[in-house]
């Protein structure tokens, strides 16, 4: 059985490192704002093993007008656990948390290879493909949240 828990920024590295920063130094796993009081990190456990992580930042993107925006970052599932539904459960957990904070808009920079995953949860691309140095091609994606 899987469960989702609040975890620390350091605990995310066990998944960020192999999935998102393979072959890069451990310091590359640290994101700006990781330890702000408004930042939350969630881990999904399968039989007590941490198999996926995601982080939610209370961060405004000036492209959007909404006053209450949250950014999702560092969504990663260990390769041997991908395509089993863990990612979707983590994403929906983030959405429930953001709704509880009265968030109106969720945005993130999605790897091109993950765009279809997010589209299944009704996120839409905004603008053109762009490159994040050393990481690769990305799309800005967003979803508006219905008020509770
Ligand atoms: C992208 C990622 C987070 C998705 O998590 P996951 O646990 O593998 O996804 P799920 O099993 O919950 O998939 C949910 C649905 O999306 C689909 N899906 C998952 N990853 C996909 C992908 N990369 N491309 C297309 N569809 C995908 C699944 O097939 C499933 O569809 P279904 O409901 O029709 O069966 C995970 O594969 C991952 O960590 N990838 C490498 C790192 C990465 O790209 N992170 C995102 C950075 S923006």
């Amino acid at each position: 059985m899987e469960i989702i828990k609040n975890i620390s920024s350091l605990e995310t590295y066990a998944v960020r490192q192999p999935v998102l920063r393979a072959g890069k130094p451990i310091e590359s796993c640290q994101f700006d704002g990781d330890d702000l009081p408004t930042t939350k990190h969630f881990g999904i456990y399968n039989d007590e093993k941490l198999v996926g992580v995601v982080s939610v930042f209370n961060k405004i993107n000036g492209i959007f007008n909404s006053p209450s925006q949250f950014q999702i970052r560092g969504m990663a599932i260990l390769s041997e656990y991908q395509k089993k539904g863990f990612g979707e459960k983590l994403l929906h957990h983030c959405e429930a948390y953001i709704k509880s904070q009265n968030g109106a808009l969720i945005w993130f920079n999605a790897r091109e290879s993950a765009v279809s995953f997010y589209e299944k949860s009704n996120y839409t691309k905004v603008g053109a493909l762009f490159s994040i140095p050393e990481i690769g091609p990305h799309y800005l994606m967003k979803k508006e949240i219905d008020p509770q």
Side-chain angles (χ1 to χ4, degrees):
M1 254 312 281
E2 76 274 334
I3 55 163
I4 296 177
K5 294 190 212 171
N6 289 4
I7 59 174
S8 68
S9 60
L10 280 179
E11 286 174 295
T12 67
Y13 293 10
V15 183
R16 280 185 185 172
Q17 164 95 80
V19 181
L20 299 174
R21 296 291 184 269
K24 301 207 167 104
I26 195 80
E27 303 81 67
S28 68
C29 291
Q30 188 181 356
F31 298 166
D32 278 352
D34 256 351
D35 293 317
L36 289 172
T38 50
T39 300
K40 287 279 179 268
H41 306 280
F42 302 114
I44 188 161
Y45 291 76
N46 183 52
D47 294 335
E48 296 182 19
K49 179 181 168 57
L50 180 65
V51 299
V53 299
V54 68
S55 304
V56 177
F57 294 71
N58 191 186
K59 188 150 189 231
I60 298 269
N61 183 328
I63 287 180
F64 303 113
N65 289 324
S66 170
S68 179
Q69 303 182 23
F70 287 79
Q71 179 187 15
I72 291 176
R73 290 193 72 184
M75 163 69 85
I77 305 294
L78 290 178
S79 60
E80 58 273 41
Y81 292 89
Q82 289 175 8
K83 303 269 172 89
K84 297 180 192 297
F86 292 111
E88 198 165 80
K89 288 196 176 88
L90 259 188
L91 185 61
H92 294 172
H93 186 83
C94 290
E95 291 176 6
Y97 166 72
I98 291 166
K99 275 188 192 174
S100 78
Q101 302 300 298
N102 298 312
L105 185 133
I106 301 175
W107 67 274
F108 45 81
N109 297 320
R111 290 180 182 209
E112 187 182 19
S113 55
V115 163
S116 308
F117 163 73
Y118 293 115
E119 285 177 337
K120 292 205 159 169
S121 288
N122 299 316
Y123 289 84
T124 54
K125 291 187 278 188
V126 180
L129 189 69
F130 66 98
S131 178
I132 298 185
E134 296 187 42
I135 314 269
H138 283 71
Y139 279 99
L140 174 62
M141 297 189 82
K142 62 128 182 173
K143 178 155 93 176
E144 269 125 53
I145 304 285
D146 296 328
Q148 278 183 317

